[in-house]
Structure formats: C-alpha cells, structure tokens
C-alpha cells in the first residue's frame, strides 16, 4: 500500500536532486492513479519535501540538500561526532571504509545508514541512482545456507532445487551500498566469505569453484550486540570504524522533545487532523526507558493517536489527553514546524557577549538587554515547543513560586521560559564567581523556579535567573528571617501567607516533624546560616522549643545580631514582615513591646555575649588562625571566647557600632593599629618587639600561661616559626621564592622592610599559596579603588608571575589588597 512517505522514498531512490518530473512521470513508475499521485505530490510540496513550478504540466523536483544530515535530530549535538566519523568513512579514498553501527533496537541505525548513502550520493562520491540494498540477517538466523544464497547468489546445482543461476544481493549492490542489519546473525562461514569482498572486491556465488565475480560495494553493518563476542576478530579488523548510537534516554532533552513532536507531526499528517498536546504528556514520554527506544516511543505515540482518533474522529482537532487542556502545544498537519531554539552557532555568537565572563553585578545589568534581544528573535507566538512546555509548567506552578510573596506575570513567564529553554543545557558559558551569601534569596528563587519546571540547576541557569530576578522582582528586605514551626506544612503555609501579604520575600520556612529533637533544628538552622549573609542580623520566629539551647548553639555562627522569639503567630509574623520590609534596624525589634503578643524574645547583640578576645589580621584569617591556636593551647582561669574577625569587618564595626559590638571584648589583637573606644587593643608588632605585654590578661591566664603565649607569638613571627606551621609547602623552597618577591617589592618602593613586615609578608604569602592551592579563595572583591592600588596590582602581577606559574594559582585582587596593606603600614609610618 502506497503512502506519501513511500512515494517520497521511491522518488529519492530513482531521481536525482534537482531533476524535474511531472505527475505523469510518476504514474508510469507506480501503480497509482493520476489523482492519487497529484494528491501525494502536493502534500509533499506542503511539507517541504518537494519543490514545484507552476508550468504546464506542473513540474516537481527534489530540492538540493547540501547537508543530508541536517534533518537528523541531534546531528549538531549528541550525534555530531558519529556523523562526522561516518562522513570521514565515506570520503576515505579510494573506496571509503566499512562501518559498523552499534546500539539498542530502535535507536536509528537504519535511518543513519540511509543518510550515509544519501550523503555519498549528494557529494557525488557514488553516482546518482547507485543502489542501496538492505538485508536483515535476522530473517535468516536459522538458515545460514539460505542467507548465503540470498547474499552471494548461486549457480545451477549449487543445492537441491537450484535449477538455474541466480544473482544475489552483492550483484544488486554493485556500485552502491549494502546495509547488513542485525549482522551478528551472520554465520562465521558467511563472515569469512565477505573477507575477500572487503579486501579484493570479489566473491563467488554459491556452488562456484573457479570463477570469481567482481563487485565494488561499500558496506554498512548494524548490530545490537557486542561485536567482540558476536563477530570474528578477523572480520572486525576489516571494519575500522565502529560507532555506538545513544539510547533515547541518553539524548539531550531538546532532542527527545523534537523526536516526540516529530512523531506526533507524522500522525497529524496521516490523520489530517490538528493534534493538541498537553505538555505533561511530553514529560511522561521524555522519561521512557522501554526497550525499543525511539521505535517504542513512535509506536506508543501511534497507539495514543489511534485511540484518540477513535473517540474524537468527528472533531476538527484531536486533544491528547481528552480533557483539561487549558494550555497545549498545537501540531498542525499542514505546516507544523519543530523549532529548535536551543542550539545554533548564530544564537551562541549573539548571546554570549551579554553574559560570558561577566561579573555578577555586570551580568545583572546585561540581562535586560539579553531579554530584549531574545524577545525580538523569538516572539511569544513563535516559541519552540520546548519553550511552550516550560511556560506551561510555570503557569501551572506559579502558586509554588508565590511562596516568595511575588506573582509571576504572563510576560515574565514568557521571558523565563525563553531563558530556561535556551540555556537548559548550555555548558560553554563562563559564569561569574561571586559570594552567593549576599544574593542567597535570589538564588533560592532561581532554584525553586527550576524545581517547578523540573530542570537541573546548572550554574549558568542559576546565575541568569538570579540576575533576572534582581531586575524584575527586587527584594526589599535586607535581613534574613526564619519561621520554624512543627507540622508538615505549618511554617510554609504561614510564610507563604505573610510574604504574599507583605509583598516581599521576607521569611524562609522550616517545617519540622512533631517529634524532632532540638539538636536537629539547630543543625538545620546552622546549615542555613552558613549559606547566607548574616551581617545585618538574623531573626528566628519559632512556635515552641528550647530557646536557650537554640540560642547558645546558633549565636556563634551569626556574624551580626541574633533575635529569637517564641510562640509565633500570624499577627506577630505580619508585624515583623512589614517592619523588615521597611528595613528597620535590629534595635527596633529588640526594644519592641512584646506584651501584646505573649512571646519571649531572646536577643544576642554584637560579636559575642561572653567575655572575648578578638583576633584580626590585616593579611587574612590564615595568620589569625595561628594566633588563635596559640591562645587555645592554654586553659583559661575564667570563661573567655577567642573570636576571629576579618580586618575589613573589624574596621566597619569600629565605625558603625563599636559600643554595642565590643561591649564584652577584653582585648583586640591585630597586625595593624586599631582604635575602638573603651577596648584595649594590642598591635602584634609591639608585642614581638617587647614594647607591649599581655599582663593585663592576668585575670584570665596565669603569669606562666601569658609568658608561654607571648613566646609562641614571638616565635610565630620569625621565619623559622612561620615555616614550621606550613602544612605541605617545602619551607626551604618557599622561603627563597618569597624572599625574591619581597626583594622585588622593596626595589619597587625603594625601601628596606622592617623585620616584622618581612615576617608578616612571609606568613601571609606562604599561607596564601597554600590556601589558593586547595581552592580556598578570598571572598569578595577589593574595596580599594585608588589609583595607587591599581598601580600596585599591575606591578605585583608581574612580580608574582613566577610563583603563579609554578603553583598554577591565580591571585585575586582581595589578596593583593592584603599584601598592599601590609607593606603600606610601613610606608605610611
């Protein structure tokens, strides 16, 4: 029985590209009527398979295709390496190379074999009209002798019933291609018979003993089996190219969508009905893992369409499934086009300049420009099917996004669908390196959005979506606030309600099982605290529980103020929500009259509620850590907390709220001079050279302990002491390398550094190299934007080049700032 597809195959087999013909020519080549041929030809014109010219009579032709693989779904991506290898096999002089295609049943081996043949014809490597002969060896698996006769032909008397001579498929394939499918069913004897065909282009028919037949044949073989166990080693050696086609589940998401929609499109044409699909149906088919792969998908789609046609034959449009189609993908039998908005080189060239390698703040500025460009390229009415799927998922899941107190508008869902569809599998873009903590809420929104559309949260997508939200859905509240409640959805429901009423992303919800222990709650909160910026403080509203224990366990991990309030209610959460949206200071919440709410607040202000010693080194935490270790080796007479603080943070607190932050601080130890009203400060340089002592800590440590601490700090600030604390660098080697750097810095500034500065530089630089080697990079960017510092970076980059090259590290600007501060502490004095 003929169909338009079968007729097209016949035309491709018998007529060259560009060769013109009429309907009458086709009637002569087939058993079809004139009207049926005309109908089929016009259908093929509509689908773009044929071109026509309105002459008398009308002339048709196969459009010239420069890339026969272009219509193969995945030809530019998952199948590209395979196709390139197949092209190389075709082009290899003088007669090409045999190819064996491996893969599960239904992955497209036969289709690819046909395309290889078409490629050879289109590039005039074999003549137009050269044969393409197919033999499925599985049809003769139990009768190798019959397979031999079909393949090689036979002469009279070759076997019982051989009453004359008959040519085989090798004769038929002469000058073209022979495709042997399921070749693992080929017997060893028949494999051996093909040796000479491959090696010398000759063979014998069955029953021939002296005469040889010549045949110039190119071979393509296909199998679902491991060739090492199913084919002779001598046979495999004669087939230099073996490629494996991926299973359906291993194709890219966009390719799987295209395959599914292609099959629905074929059914739409077959039934001459418009098909309306719900995106969820495509999602179900995307995860298909049945044997048979692509073929199984096509059969499943055919059965779906048949069942739907049976129920809805009288309708103009077929709806699959039959109900609930508020949003759907429309497949028109006349002119359905599967757009692939995901991957084109032109698109990559267009969009990469907007985002590739941009810092996050710069990326935020570029995202609106990128969106504008994409909207011009892909208007809402011309979205690809995969983008329509994403938009539909967003429309159906927008209630889940409302948790953040924000509603996605139709235009925003269209824009987000574009971004997700285009960048879902984009791995070639360089994304910026930023401190996630300060943008944690925007990244949380991005992660939730990708959960809604069931898409992997890649760095590229997270950064793009976070940048999009900074522009489109800016968050007003700057502080982090949590609501912790027992119950399956108690906290989430309250947070959704409050965030929505306040119209801002205020609270994060922690839903806790009824029987959960306090330590589990604390662990979860501390994990959250480690991922967010708490310099502006942290507020916890809880329904019940051991506040004292929670407070003690959490406070040390919060860099700003901590407030915990129990017996949370909707009224209390709303009051906090509106106040947080106004960005009221923590003092507002700590002085609030809570009598109307019947709650018990607990407040921790500043860096520590305990007596504490603050250690802060200009050159970073590495040296401060070592000084802290020295103090911790001694058991204090009374409770004291040793607190590490970044030097920038220390200076900031010194300016903003020194009285509250350092109210329990006994001493600030630093490598640079610090002046905080009411707090004793000690410059390590003064301790090392003996002009200051730790005697005023006699109420905390004994005289002997203070002597030991002092001696250990002095020892630390010697080259030998610093070297002894290196974890894995070779001290002898690194001393010489750093000495070279210090000498270069002295030469640049025409100065001889004091011994303390030299040791401080050695401590910092050796610690810095070790940290960078293990990927421990300083957070943030440099705060110094002066011309002098920029000049320093230019010079230092050259000075440090040998070290960077040797250890394969890159020194961030923040590290250069620390070095700059160390040496300028002498230059200023």
């Amino acid at each position: 029985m003929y169909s338009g597809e079968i007729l097209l195959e016949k035309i491709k087999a018998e007529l060259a590209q560009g060769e013109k013909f009429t309907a009458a020519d086709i009637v002569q080549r087939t058993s079809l009527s004139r009207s049926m041929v005309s109908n089929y030809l016009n259908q093929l014109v509509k689908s773009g398979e044929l071109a026509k010219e309105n002459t008398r009579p009308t002339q048709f032709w196969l459009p010239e295709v420069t890339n026969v693989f272009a219509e193969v779904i995945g030809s530019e991506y998952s199948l590209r390496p395979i196709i390139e290898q197949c092209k190389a096999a075709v082009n290899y002089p003088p007669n090409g190379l045999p190819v064996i295609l491996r893969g599960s049943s239904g992955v497209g081996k036969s289709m690819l074999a046909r395309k290889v043949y078409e490629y050879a014809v289109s590039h005039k490597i074999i003549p137009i009209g050269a044969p393409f002969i197919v033999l499925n060896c599985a049809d003769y698996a139990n009768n190798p002798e019959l397979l031999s006769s079909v393949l090689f032909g036979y002469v009279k008397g070759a076997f019982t019933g051989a009453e004359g001579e008959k040519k085989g498929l090798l004769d038929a394939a002469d000058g073209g291609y022979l495709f042997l499918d399921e070749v693992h069913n080929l017997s060893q004897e028949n494999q051996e018979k093909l040796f000479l065909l491959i090696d010398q282009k000759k063979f014998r028919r069955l029953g021939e003993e002296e005469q040889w037949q010549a045949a110039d044949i190119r071979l393509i073989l296909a199998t679902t089996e491991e060739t090492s166990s199913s084919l002779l080693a001598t046979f495999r050696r004669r087939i230099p190219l073996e490629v494996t086609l991926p299973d359906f589940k291993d194709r890219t998401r966009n390719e799987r969508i295209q395959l599914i929609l292609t099959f629905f499109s074929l059914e739409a044409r077959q039934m001459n009905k418009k098909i309306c699909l719900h995106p969820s149906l495509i999602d179900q088919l995307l995860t298909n893992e049945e044997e048979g792969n692509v073929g199984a998908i096509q059969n499943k789609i055919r059965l779906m369409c048949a069942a739907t046609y049976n129920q809805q034959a009288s309708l103009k449009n077929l709806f699959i499934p039959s109900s609930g189609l508020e949003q759907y993908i429309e497949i028109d039998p006349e002119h359905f086009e599967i757009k692939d908005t995901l991957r084109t080189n032109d698109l990559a060239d267009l969009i990469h300049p907007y985002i590739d390698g941009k810092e996050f703040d710069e990326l935020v500025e570029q995202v609106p420009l990128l969106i504008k460009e994409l909207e011009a390229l892909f208007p809402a009415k011309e979205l690809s099917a995969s983008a329509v799927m994403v938009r539909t998922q967003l429309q159906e899941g927008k209630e889940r996004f409302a948790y953040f107190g924000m509603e996605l508008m139709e235009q925003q869902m269209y824009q987000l669908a574009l971004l997700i569809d285009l960048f879902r599998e984009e791995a070639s873009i360089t994304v910026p390196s930023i401190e996630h903590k300060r943008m944690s809420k925007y990244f949380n929104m991005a992660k939730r959005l990708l959960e809604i559309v069931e898409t992997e949260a890649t760095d590229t997508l997270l950064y793009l979506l976070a940048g999009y939200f900074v522009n489109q859905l800016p968050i007003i509240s700057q502080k982090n606030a949590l609501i912790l409640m027992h119950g399956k959805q108690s906290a989430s429901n309250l947070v959704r309600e409050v965030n929505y009423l306040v119209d801002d992303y205020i609270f994060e919800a922690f839903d806790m099982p009824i029987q959960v222990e306090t330590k589990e709650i604390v662990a979860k909160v501390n994990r959250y605290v480690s991922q967010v910026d708490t310099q502006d403080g942290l507020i916890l509203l809880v329904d019940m529980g051991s506040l004292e224990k929670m407070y003690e366990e959490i406070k040390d991990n919060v860099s700003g103020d901590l407030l915990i309030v129990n017996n949370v209610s909707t009224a209390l959460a709303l009051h906090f929500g509106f106040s947080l949206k106004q960005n009221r200071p923590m003092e507002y919440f700590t002085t609030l009259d809570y009598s109307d709410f019947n709650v018990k607040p607990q407040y921790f202000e500043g860096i520590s509620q305990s007596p504490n010693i603050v250690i802060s080194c200009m050159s970073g935490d590495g040296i401060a850590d070592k000084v802290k270790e020295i103090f911790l080796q001694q058991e204090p007479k009374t409770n004291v907390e040793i607190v590490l603080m970044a030097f920038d943070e220390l200076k900031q607190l010194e300016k903003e709220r020194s009285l509250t932050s350092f109210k329990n601080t006994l001493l600030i130890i630093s490598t640079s001079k610090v002046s905080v009203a009411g707090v004793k400060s000690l410059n390590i340089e003064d301790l090392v050279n003996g002009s200051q002592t730790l005697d005023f800590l006699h109420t905390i440590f004994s005289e002997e302990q203070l002597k030991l601490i002092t001696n250990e700090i002095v020892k630390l600030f010697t080259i030998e002491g610093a070297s002894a604390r290196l974890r894995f660098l070779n001290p002898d080697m690194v001393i010489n390398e750093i000495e070279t750097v210090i000498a270069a810095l002295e030469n640049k500034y025409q100065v001889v550094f004091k011994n303390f500065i030299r040791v401080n530089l050695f401590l910092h630089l050796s610690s810095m190299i070790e940290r960078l080697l293990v990927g421990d990079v300083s957070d943030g960017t440099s705060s110094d934007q002066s011309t002098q510092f920029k000049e320093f970076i230019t010079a230092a980059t050259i000075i440090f080049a040998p070290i960077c090259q040797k250890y394969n590290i890159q020194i961030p600007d923040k590290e250069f700032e620390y070095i700059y501060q160390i040496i300028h502490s002498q230059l200023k004095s």
Side-chain angles (χ1 to χ4, degrees):
M1 181 178 175
Y2 260 89
S3 67
E5 292 177 32
I6 294 173
L7 181 61
L8 178 63
E9 289 302 309
K10 184 173 181 64
I11 292 171
K12 285 182 176 180
E14 298 182 5
L15 297 166
Q17 292 171 4
E19 183 179 349
K20 295 186 177 181
F21 58 88
T22 65
D25 296 329
I26 300 302
V27 169
Q28 291 178 1
R29 293 171 181 265
T30 66
S31 57
L32 300 174
S33 68
R34 174 65 180 264
S35 61
M36 188 171 290
V37 167
S38 296
N39 185 42
Y40 282 143
L41 292 178
N42 284 313
Q43 285 182 17
L44 292 171
V45 169
K46 285 183 180 179
S47 65
E49 300 288 354
L50 293 179
K52 78 172 184 178
E53 186 176 17
N54 291 321
T55 56
R56 289 185 179 273
T58 303
Q59 291 188 317
F60 302 84
W61 66 91
L62 284 165
E64 290 193 22
V65 180
T66 55
N67 180 10
V68 298
F69 293 107
E71 60 193 47
V72 177
I73 294 171
S75 62
E76 290 298 319
Y77 307 101
S78 67
L79 298 185
R80 183 172 186 172
I82 293 171
I83 288 173
E84 289 303 315
Q85 287 178 298
C86 289
K87 287 179 180 178
V90 172
N91 292 321
Y92 190 81
N95 300 304
L97 298 173
V99 179
I100 185 163
L101 309 176
R102 281 194 62 246
S104 305
S105 176
V107 293
K109 298 187 292 295
S110 298
M111 174 275 299
L112 183 59
R114 177 76 194 195
K115 288 299 174 185
V116 169
Y117 160 76
E118 291 177 5
Y119 173 81
V121 172
S122 66
H123 283 67
K124 300 180 180 178
I125 293 167
I126 59 176
I128 293 173
F132 179 73
I133 305 300
V134 179
L135 173 64
N136 191 324
C137 300
D139 295 342
Y140 304 91
N142 299 320
N143 196 334
E145 189 171 283
L146 179 57
L147 177 57
S148 290
S149 68
V150 170
L151 191 57
F152 298 96
Y154 54 85
V155 296
K156 183 177 181 179
F159 51 84
T160 304
E163 298 178 353
E165 180 178 302
K166 185 172 182 180
K167 294 182 179 181
L169 295 182
L170 295 187
D171 290 286
D174 188 20
Y177 271 87
L178 174 64
F179 174 44
L180 298 179
D181 201 2
E182 304 291 354
V183 72
H184 54 272
N185 289 296
L186 203 61
S187 67
Q188 291 187 4
E189 181 184 358
N190 282 323
Q191 291 180 44
E192 291 169 351
K193 287 180 180 180
L194 286 175
F195 287 359
L196 281 173
L197 177 69
I198 296 173
D199 291 343
Q200 300 181 26
K201 297 189 179 299
K202 63 181 183 179
F203 68 96
R204 281 195 174 117
R205 297 196 179 101
L206 208 60
E208 277 183 334
E209 295 182 0
E210 296 181 1
Q211 188 174 349
W212 290 96
Q213 306 297 326
D216 183 6
I217 298 172
R218 292 169 176 250
L219 279 179
I220 303 176
L221 316 174
T223 180
T224 57
E225 305 295 321
E226 285 288 343
T227 56
S228 58
S229 58
S230 60
L231 298 177
L232 293 172
T234 48
F235 186 54
R236 294 200 316 273
R237 282 200 296 271
R238 287 168 167 81
I239 307 168
L241 178 58
E242 179 177 320
V243 295
T244 301
L245 275 68
D247 286 351
F248 178 76
K249 63 182 175 61
D250 296 324
R251 303 284 288 271
T252 68
R253 177 185 174 88
N254 201 60
E255 288 172 14
R256 283 178 283 146
I257 291 174
Q258 288 186 76
L259 285 165
I260 289 167
L261 294 177
T262 296
F263 298 145
F264 274 113
S265 176
L266 292 174
E267 298 306 316
R269 293 176 189 173
Q270 183 68 26
M271 297 182 294
N272 197 28
K273 293 269 189 180
K274 184 183 291 184
I275 294 177
C276 300
L277 297 174
H278 194 276
S280 62
L281 177 60
I282 297 178
D283 274 334
Q284 293 171 23
L285 292 169
L286 282 175
T287 58
N288 180 79
E289 293 188 5
E290 296 179 22
E291 291 188 11
N293 272 288
V294 178
I297 295 286
Q298 186 169 15
N299 287 335
K300 185 179 283 190
I301 288 171
R302 186 166 289 155
L303 288 172
M304 282 181 191
C305 292
T308 304
Y309 186 84
N310 189 46
Q311 296 172 355
Q312 305 176 22
S314 61
L315 301 179
K316 182 179 180 182
N317 301 334
L318 301 184
F319 291 87
I320 309 176
S322 58
S323 61
L325 294 185
E326 293 181 6
Q327 302 289 336
Y328 55 83
I329 297 167
E330 199 175 87
I331 299 178
D332 193 312
E334 295 294 328
H335 45 74
F336 178 72
E337 180 184 358
I338 299 170
K339 295 189 177 75
D340 178 8
T341 63
L342 257 181
R343 307 274 193 171
T344 68
N345 291 332
D346 291 342
L347 183 61
D349 292 342
L350 172 70
I351 61 183
H352 278 225
Y354 286 104
I355 55 179
D356 203 10
K358 297 286 192 295
E359 292 301 320
F360 188 74
D361 290 341
E362 191 178 3
L363 183 144
V364 168
E365 296 175 358
Q366 293 293 315
V367 167
L369 302 176
L370 172 61
I371 291 291
K372 186 175 181 180
E373 193 82 59
L374 295 178
E375 285 179 317
L377 281 172
F378 307 108
K381 292 182 179 180
E382 296 181 19
L383 282 178
S384 71
S386 54
V388 171
M389 282 182 61
V390 174
R391 184 174 62 181
T392 304
Q393 287 173 306
L394 291 175
Q395 289 166 335
E396 295 180 343
K398 64 181 181 180
E399 287 303 314
R400 291 171 60 189
F401 193 80
Y403 167 92
F404 300 110
M406 302 173 187
E407 184 178 357
L408 290 174
M409 300 293 103
E410 284 297 323
Q411 182 70 7
Q412 290 169 335
M413 286 188 278
Y414 151 61
Q415 293 169 347
L416 289 167
L418 267 179
L419 284 178
I420 294 171
D421 182 44
L422 290 166
F423 296 95
R424 193 195 299 267
E425 298 173 65
E426 181 57 69
S428 60
I429 294 174
T430 304
V431 293
S433 174
I434 69 162
E435 174 55 59
H436 275 234
K437 289 184 178 182
R438 71 182 178 90
M439 307 298 292
S440 59
K441 287 188 176 182
Y442 291 106
F443 279 91
N444 287 344
M445 292 164 65
K447 289 173 186 174
R448 175 65 61 88
L449 194 80
L450 293 173
E451 287 173 8
I452 291 171
V453 298
E454 299 174 350
T455 295
E456 181 185 356
T458 63
D459 284 346
T460 299
L461 271 176
L462 286 175
Y463 280 86
L464 272 174
L465 295 178
Y468 177 87
F469 290 138
V470 172
N471 281 289
Q472 289 288 320
L473 300 172
I475 300 165
I476 300 171
S477 174
Q478 296 176 1
K479 291 182 179 62
N480 287 288
L482 306 179
I483 292 180
L484 290 80
M485 299 179 71
H486 292 78
K488 193 172 182 180
Q489 289 288 319
S490 301
S492 291
N493 290 337
L494 180 55
V495 164
R496 184 179 292 104
E497 181 181 355
V498 172
N499 285 347
Y500 177 76
L501 291 173
V502 176
D503 193 24
D504 195 38
Y505 181 5
I506 305 289
F507 289 107
E508 197 69 62
F510 280 21
D511 296 302
M512 297 294 173
I514 297 296
Q515 303 300 326
V516 71
E517 295 184 15
T518 303
K519 65 179 183 180
E520 292 181 46
I521 300 175
V522 168
K524 188 170 183 180
V525 172
N526 278 332
R527 280 196 298 273
Y528 169 83
V529 168
S530 69
Q531 298 168 3
V532 301
D533 184 357
T534 55
Q535 289 189 41
D536 288 327
L538 177 67
I539 293 174
L540 273 67
L541 305 184
V542 300
D543 57 349
M544 55 180 150
S546 176
L547 288 180
E548 292 291 338
K549 189 170 183 180
M550 284 182 65
Y551 168 77
E552 289 297 327
E553 294 292 332
I554 295 169
K555 69 179 178 65
D556 293 337
N557 299 312
V558 178
S559 57
D561 300 337
L562 171 64
L563 176 65
I564 302 179
V565 183
N566 70 350
N567 295 334
V568 61
S569 62
T570 303
L572 179 68
L574 279 171
H575 186 89
F576 267 77
F578 284 113
S579 301
L580 285 167
K581 186 175 181 180
Q582 295 168 10
N583 282 307
R584 290 185 178 272
M586 286 295 284
E587 286 76 10
Y588 170 83
F589 299 101
T590 59
T591 58
L592 189 65
D593 182 2
Y594 288 96
S595 57
D596 292 340
F597 298 107
N598 189 28
V599 299
K600 176 188 175 184
Q602 195 168 30
Y603 177 53
F604 162 60
E605 179 184 27
I607 58 172
S608 175
Q609 260 194 331
S610 306
N612 62 83
I613 296 172
V614 173
I615 300 173
S616 180
C617 294
M618 186 185 293
S619 54
D621 289 345
I623 300 171
D625 269 326
K626 292 178 174 64
V627 176
K628 180 178 179 179
E629 285 173 14
I630 292 171
F631 273 92
L632 293 179
Q633 287 169 4
Q634 308 300 323
E635 185 71 26
K637 292 189 286 185
T638 61
N639 180 44
V640 66
E641 185 176 3
I642 310 298
V643 178
L644 293 184
M645 184 174 291
F647 190 78
D648 291 343
E649 183 182 354
L650 175 62
K651 298 296 286 183
Q652 192 68 23
L653 288 175
E654 176 190 338
K655 292 178 185 176
E656 292 180 352
R657 47 193 179 110
S658 59
L659 291 177
T660 56
S661 297
F662 300 101
K663 64 179 182 179
N664 294 313
T665 300
L666 305 174
L667 172 66
I668 297 174
I669 300 177
S670 177
T671 52
S672 185
K673 292 180 181 179
V674 176
S675 178
V676 176
V679 182
K680 179 79 174 175
S681 62
L682 182 147
N683 189 333
I684 291 179
E685 182 178 2
D686 293 335
L687 183 67
V688 170
N689 64 31
S691 60
Q692 273 191 294
T693 70
L694 295 172
D695 289 350
F696 57 87
L697 293 177
H698 64 274
T699 58
I700 309 295
F701 297 98
S702 69
E703 183 178 346
E704 183 62 25
Q705 287 175 319
L706 291 174
K707 187 181 294 185
L708 287 171
I709 291 170
T710 301
N711 288 340
E712 286 297 313
I713 292 175
V714 171
K715 189 190 297 182
L716 172 64
F717 280 81
T718 64
I719 296 294
E720 293 74 22
S723 298
R725 293 176 183 269
L726 291 176
R727 288 176 292 171
F728 50 80
L729 286 178
N730 183 325
D732 294 331
M733 187 175 294
V734 80
I735 285 173
N736 293 331
E737 291 166 343
I738 292 176
E739 189 63 45
T740 302
V741 168
I742 292 173
L745 290 170
E746 287 178 327
N747 182 57
K748 170 177 171 50
Y749 289 99
Q750 295 297 299
V751 68
V752 176
F753 293 137
K754 291 187 293 188
N755 189 54
F756 180 82
I757 297 295
R758 297 175 66 84
V759 177
N760 201 358
L761 279 169
F762 178 83
L763 273 167
H764 174 72
L765 295 178
S766 58
S767 174
M768 177 192 76
I769 293 170
E770 289 196 328
R771 283 187 290 103
L772 294 179
L773 280 171
V774 297
D776 184 7
V777 182
S778 300
D779 292 333
T781 56
S782 169
S783 58
D784 193 339
Q785 299 297 317
S786 66
T787 302
Q788 293 88 339
F789 177 60
K790 291 177 181 177
E791 291 173 354
F792 170 77
I793 288 184
T794 302
T797 301
I798 298 171
I799 291 170
F800 281 86
I803 284 181
C804 292
Q805 185 174 2
K806 176 177 178 179
Y807 294 104
N808 193 26
I809 58 175
Q810 185 173 354
I811 302 175
D813 286 358
K814 192 67 177 176
E815 294 290 350
F816 277 131
E817 185 179 13
Y818 289 142
I819 299 166
Y820 181 73
Q821 289 172 340
I822 292 171
I823 64 177
H824 273 255
S825 63
Q826 175 172 332
L827 298 176
K828 291 176 183 176
S829 60

